Amino acid sequence: MTMSTSRPKTLRLETLWNPPADGKEFSYVLRLKNLGTEPLSNFSLCVSGPGRVDPAGRVEGATVSQRLSNFTEFQPPANFILGAGETWTISVYALSWQFRHWTDGATSGYLALADGSTIVLTIEPTRSSVSNAPLKRGAEIYPVPVNAPVQVSIIPWPNHVAVASRRPLPAGFAPQAQSAAGEAAARGFAALVEHLFAVEGIVRSEAEGAVPVALKDAAGLGPEAYRLSFEDETITIEASSQTGFLYGLVTLGQIWRGARLHPEVFQFPASGEIVDEPSMGWRGLHLDVARQFYGAAEVKKLLAVLAWNKLNRFHWHLSDDEAWRVEIDAYPDLTAVGAWRGHGLAVPPLLGSSPARTGGYYTKAAIREIVAHAKSFGVEIVPEIDVPGHCYAMLQAIPELRDPAEVGSYYSVQGFPDNCINPAREKTYEIIETILLELIELFPFKTIHLGADEVPLGAWSGSPEALERLRSVAGDEVADAHAKRLNVVTNTHGADDIHGSGAAILQAEFLNRVQRFLASKGCITGGWEEAAHGDVIDKSKSYLCSWRNVEVSAELAERGYEIVVCPGQVYYLDMALRPDWDEPGASWAGTSDAEKLYNFDPIGGWTASQKQKLLGIQACIWSEPMTDRAVFDRLVFPRLSALAETGWTKPSSKSWERFRALAGLMPLLYGLQQS
């Protein structure tokens, strides 16, 4: 373990982005300032953040001695001494992409000393030479207007609302169930409001003035449907399932909070009814916990936020190049090695992590608790381990997943070398099947997502085992062509399109076998859209998350795949709200504010037969820019609620004006608002 110290008052790192202008090329400038009284020597500078320095490009003032994706180590010139009061300036003219937002630059920095110790640096957010605007953090809150277009506050808006008049606001509610499903819903709702609004006392006893709410079983209602009735001082919720009762209670809680917080705008009804059910079955959120780690408490509260938005799927992205986050008994090194980053470790500091050992993973006990917690909120959890690509951390922990005779290197679009487990090795299937058996036991929804995205075009091109397998299934010409991709950097302008390539054929071999194994255990297999290469997976026992655009989604639906629509241009919540420098996030797929997301039609242009293959929609949180949790709140809210209404409310009943008037009442995860 390395020693780490901090000199916040004596050493400071400033970074500046100079966009190309007036015929000059762009530059990313790093300035290390020695504000102390002692000179500094025999050190290197290590930085990480979403932006990636291209090691093949031009760097002035330093040399790149180590680079892994977004981690870069800069060496000063020979015999360099940074004197008291002096500044070391590094100018970088080679990046994987030009910076667009303040979160693109370095979000952590430290010095590595010759004795193995480190010095953590004070680092300011990257500034742009063409923008002095204050940097934005925290959620953008839409104020509740004096005159709202509706009298009750509900998101997502129900199918049928016919309520009238006003009654005094109840102190709270005491649900009274007639069945096990109703009792479970009442317990889940009590836990939900305790998570989100503990001091408000939405659920309380009749001794504290609560109004009883009758939960009555009603045949003929759909699995997530409910009927909420207000009549003669009584409140009744009818449903046929635990989730239906829960959603009726959520609607009641939302109406109550609106009338309580804004009594001049909203009312608590004295009569009438709300009859409701969702328009889509899959209303999901994906969370990447590999790039940034989120503790169990954060995940539990996020699940509560999902339930308050009537979202019912949580896609849990548990592994990627940067980390492995789930305990596997058969392979303890997956977490002992793959869950941690730090200076001198198998995985260096990435994406703003510090030189000290940082990270974490979910124990099996924690996962069981989270799964049960989600179930009580009407949320099913889909775990993802991303294979065969995006496996750098996994390979550090289990090197047997690589052909020992493999030579040369290939690189992923994120700059990770040799990050794909080998589909030609029998050992690979032994390991993967063992891991999957442990996952199946943890996740009773029995839907396992395998990733299958962004395999580099040159993957396995230096593996004798893979080339032999490719030769046997596709012939000499394909195998020989694939071997020529060794040591060739292919993805210089985005993720490789591997359609029809040797890499695609080998991935299809892998997915075919693993999907059949999952099916034999009664599981549905999920994949990103690249899992369709070769059309080898059983379409009746799988589904795809389509992320490029709605045209690709429609084309895959036409080919018979069940589709969850999540195009990056609108449903990727790491994309910035706007193109401005002062906004956090990324924008490689575009930018999308809440209004654009709300008005987006996820099945625009689809035919009737294609719509038969629609499972639903999903927002995706990729965590690269979210070291700062105030950035999380800004990027996720209220866009998450906008997606929820698209998944629940009939298109003909949607209204941006109404949504905007109500969105400010919805909960945030961290409660961090734009100041």
Side-chain angles (χ1 to χ4, degrees), residues 435-502:
I435 290 170
L436 290 175
L437 284 173
E438 293 197 31
L439 278 183
I440 292 166
E441 190 269 330
L442 288 172
F443 293 98
F445 188 48
K446 302 198 88 170
T447 301
I448 309 291
H449 201 288
L450 294 177
D453 60 314
E454 296 186 332
V455 166
L457 192 60
W460 313 296
S461 54
S463 162
E465 290 179 347
L467 291 171
E468 180 184 355
R469 179 64 182 159
L470 189 56
R471 204 173 298 278
S472 69
V473 298
D476 291 345
E477 186 177 342
V478 172
D480 291 343
H482 194 60
K484 291 176 183 174
R485 295 196 172 106
L486 186 62
N487 296 328
V488 176
V489 177
T490 52
N491 42 33
T492 54
H493 300 291
D496 286 335
D497 180 2
I498 65 170
H499 182 69
S501 70

Side-chain angles (χ1 to χ4, degrees), residues 74-409:
F74 295 101
Q75 292 287 347
N79 304 313
F80 179 79
I81 297 174
L82 183 61
E86 293 183 351
T87 298
W88 176 30
T89 300
I90 304 168
S91 297
V92 176
Y93 298 94
L95 298 166
S96 296
W97 75 85
Q98 291 190 29
F99 292 175
R100 298 188 181 99
H101 305 281
W102 67 267
T103 48
D104 283 336
T107 47
S108 73
Y110 65 93
L111 302 185
L113 306 183
D115 64 2
S117 65
T118 60
I119 299 173
V120 178
L121 299 172
T122 299
I123 182 169
E124 297 293 321
T126 301
R127 288 285 174 180
S128 167
S129 60
V130 296
S131 174
N132 291 317
L135 305 182
K136 293 188 171 70
R137 303 167 64 253
E140 197 172 61
I141 302 298
Y142 299 152
V144 174
V146 175
N147 294 303
V150 287
Q151 294 176 316
V152 288
S153 57
I154 309 167
I155 287 179
W157 191 251
N159 269 352
H160 171 73
V161 179
V163 293
S165 61
R166 177 192 297 265
R167 65 170 281 180
L169 185 70
F173 304 105
Q176 298 182 342
Q178 301 175 341
S179 64
E183 289 172 357
R187 288 193 302 271
F189 183 67
L192 180 59
V193 295
E194 179 72 19
H195 262 290
L196 299 176
F197 318 109
V199 300
E200 296 182 15
I202 297 174
V203 173
R204 59 177 69 195
S205 67
E206 291 184 64
E208 293 188 358
V211 169
V213 179
L215 305 183
K216 292 186 177 180
D217 291 81
L221 291 175
E224 295 181 299
Y226 65 90
R227 181 184 295 111
L228 171 59
S229 304
F230 303 89
E231 184 180 0
D232 297 332
E233 301 294 311
T234 64
I235 300 171
T236 304
I237 296 173
E238 296 172 89
S240 66
S241 70
Q242 176 183 335
T243 304
F245 284 123
L246 177 72
Y247 287 162
L249 287 165
V250 167
T251 294
L252 185 64
Q254 289 186 356
I255 292 171
W256 182 87
R257 292 192 76 244
R260 177 177 176 269
L261 297 173
H262 299 275
E264 72 289 354
V265 180
F266 302 115
Q267 67 183 33
F268 192 87
S271 63
E273 68 174 9
I274 293 170
V275 184
D276 201 11
E277 66 180 333
S279 63
M280 295 185 191
W282 186 295
R283 307 176 307 282
L285 177 71
H286 159 286
L287 178 67
D288 158 26
V289 298
R291 276 53 180 266
Q292 310 288 351
F293 182 64
Y294 299 81
E298 292 172 284
V299 174
K300 286 179 181 178
K301 186 174 179 186
L302 181 60
L303 290 166
V305 172
L306 295 192
W308 200 253
N309 284 274
K310 299 190 179 80
L311 293 167
N312 66 354
R313 298 287 183 269
F314 180 58
H315 178 163
W316 204 358
H317 189 88
L318 290 165
S319 76
D320 216 297
D321 292 307
E322 293 85 351
W324 180 279
R325 302 295 192 198
V326 53
E327 180 180 35
I328 300 295
D329 294 334
Y331 301 104
D333 278 355
L334 280 170
T335 49
V337 175
W340 307 97
R341 305 199 284 256
H343 182 71
L345 299 183
V347 183
L350 296 166
L351 295 166
S353 55
S354 77
R357 181 176 180 264
T358 57
Y361 64 93
Y362 306 100
T363 65
K364 288 191 167 183
I367 288 173
R368 289 189 182 98
E369 189 177 319
I370 289 168
V371 167
H373 189 81
K375 187 75 172 176
S376 74
F377 292 165
V379 178
E380 298 286 4
I381 298 183
V382 177
E384 178 187 351
I385 58 162
D386 202 345
V387 287
H390 285 283
C391 287
Y392 184 85
M394 187 185 192
L395 282 157
Q396 304 313 298
I398 311 179
E400 298 92 329
L401 288 162
R402 191 174 192 238
D403 181 352
E406 189 166 347
V407 296
S409 280

